[in-house]
């Protein structure tokens, strides 16, 4: 029969072995409002970004969301020694996790492993979703919160394009609820010549990383923001 002290030593060694095998990534929250958050994960050099690690990150973020009663969060995952969200938008990113739960009782989870640069690090909304937020009284009070965070807005229909008096290039989208006026400053994937060729005739749609700067809370709601274009698609001219 083993002595009690020896048994305790075995248990301690087992616990240490478990700790050493556990993931050691760093999860922080650089941006957070009352109901939304943008997190970042920076891996340790020995960690592999596989299904097991993605599951572990998802579970931890779900727990945080429930603890802070968040409606939606995004978590950008970066490789070891990365500057994370403090770095340039072109730096390498391994993927982005989006979790949303607007009192539906079940988390909607998307882990996009095709988001390979930090220009995809933001809270995700489609242009149509923003319209729904404005139209629904239960949600439109959240708009000022959303505007405090970097956003990735998808499927933006470009109604106007052009330059201001200082030579800055703008793309504008609008519907009955919303006017989104984007100062296009950069893109990881397109040259300035390609961006400036976007026509404001309703035939082009873009996805963009958006940094809101100013909102005018009238109807339609006016949002002015800086942007980096991630994707664009234009219907062929007739």
């Amino acid at each position: 029969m083993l002595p009690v002290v020896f048994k305790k030593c075995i248990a301690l060694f087992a616990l240490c072995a478990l700790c050493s095998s556990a993931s050691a990534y760093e999860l922080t929250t650089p941006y957070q409002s009352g109901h939304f958050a943008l997190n970042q994960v920076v891996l340790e050099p020995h960690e592999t970004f596989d299904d097991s690690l993605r599951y572990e990150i998802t579970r931890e973020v779900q727990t945080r969301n429930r603890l802070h009663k968040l409606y939606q969060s995004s978590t950008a995952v970066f490789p070891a020694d990365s500057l994370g969200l403090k770095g340039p938008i072109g730096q390498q990113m391994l993927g982005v996790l989006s979790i949303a739960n607007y009192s539906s009782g079940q988390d909607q989870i998307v882990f996009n492993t095709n988001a390979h640069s930090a220009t995809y690090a933001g809270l995700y909304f489609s242009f149509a979703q923003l319209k729904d937020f404005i139209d629904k009284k239960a949600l439109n009070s959240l708009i000022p919160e959303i505007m405090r965070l970097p956003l990735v807005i998808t499927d933006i229909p470009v109604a106007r394009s052009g330059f201001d008096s200082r030579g800055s290039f703008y793309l504008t989208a609008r519907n009955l609820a919303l006017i989104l006026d984007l100062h296009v400053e950069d893109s990881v994937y397109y040259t300035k010549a390609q961006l400036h060729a976007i026509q404001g005739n309703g035939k082009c749609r873009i996805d963009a990383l958006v940094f809101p700067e100013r909102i005018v809370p009238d109807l339609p709601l006016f949002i002015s923001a800086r942007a980096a274009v991630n994707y664009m698609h234009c219907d062929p001219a007739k």
Side-chain angles (χ1 to χ4, degrees):
M1 188 172 181
L2 294 173
V4 174
V5 174
F6 190 58
K7 286 183 179 180
K8 289 184 177 179
C9 289
I10 293 176
L12 181 60
F13 287 141
L15 180 61
C16 289
L18 180 63
C19 292
S20 63
S21 64
S23 298
Y25 60 79
E26 181 185 12
L27 173 60
T28 58
T29 306
Y31 300 93
Q32 184 167 347
S33 64
H35 298 91
F36 303 93
L38 175 57
N39 309 308
Q40 71 173 21
V41 166
V42 179
L43 302 187
E44 288 295 314
H46 69 276
E47 290 180 307
T48 302
F49 188 57
D50 55 14
D51 288 342
S52 176
L53 185 59
R54 287 192 285 273
Y55 175 78
E56 189 173 334
I57 293 170
T58 301
R59 289 294 299 273
E60 184 172 355
V61 175
Q62 281 184 290
T63 300
R64 287 191 176 207
N65 282 10
R66 290 165 186 167
L67 180 64
H68 295 288
K69 298 180 180 179
L70 301 183
Y71 290 142
Q72 186 172 339
S73 73
S74 288
T75 303
V77 183
F78 295 93
D81 302 319
S82 172
L83 293 174
L85 295 174
K86 293 182 179 179
I89 63 172
Q91 70 175 320
Q92 182 187 7
M93 192 171 76
L94 300 175
V96 60
L97 167 67
S98 296
I99 300 178
N101 191 335
Y102 291 88
S103 301
S104 64
Q106 185 173 358
D107 289 341
Q108 297 176 329
I109 302 171
V110 177
F111 212 136
N112 180 7
T113 56
N114 293 318
H116 296 310
S117 63
T119 191
Y120 282 99
L123 200 65
Y124 278 69
F125 293 96
S126 69
F127 189 75
Q129 280 178 306
L130 291 179
K131 178 182 181 299
D132 289 341
F133 265 76
I134 298 166
D135 288 340
K136 294 178 181 177
K137 291 183 178 180
L139 296 177
N140 61 16
S141 62
L142 299 174
I143 289 290
E145 275 193 48
I146 295 172
M147 294 300 112
R148 297 179 207 163
L149 284 79
L151 309 175
V152 175
I153 304 179
T154 62
D155 206 30
I156 303 170
V158 180
R160 296 286 185 271
S161 64
F163 298 86
D164 66 7
S165 60
R166 294 175 292 183
S168 299
F169 183 65
Y170 280 82
L171 297 174
T172 304
R174 67 175 302 156
N175 54 36
L176 294 177
L178 170 67
I179 298 174
L180 181 62
D181 197 38
L182 300 177
H183 176 199
V184 178
E185 295 185 331
D186 203 356
S187 175
V188 174
Y189 303 103
Y190 300 99
T191 65
K192 285 190 175 182
Q194 289 173 312
L195 296 174
H196 294 171
I198 296 175
Q199 298 295 309
N201 53 11
K203 295 182 179 181
C204 291
R205 291 180 177 268
I206 65 169
D207 298 347
L209 173 64
V210 173
F211 298 93
E213 293 187 322
R214 186 170 67 95
I215 65 172
V216 180
D218 297 323
L219 200 63
L221 179 73
F222 180 84
I223 302 173
S224 176
R226 296 177 292 117
V229 175
N230 293 340
Y231 174 79
M232 64 180 181
H233 174 75
C234 297
D235 295 331
K238 294 182 181 180

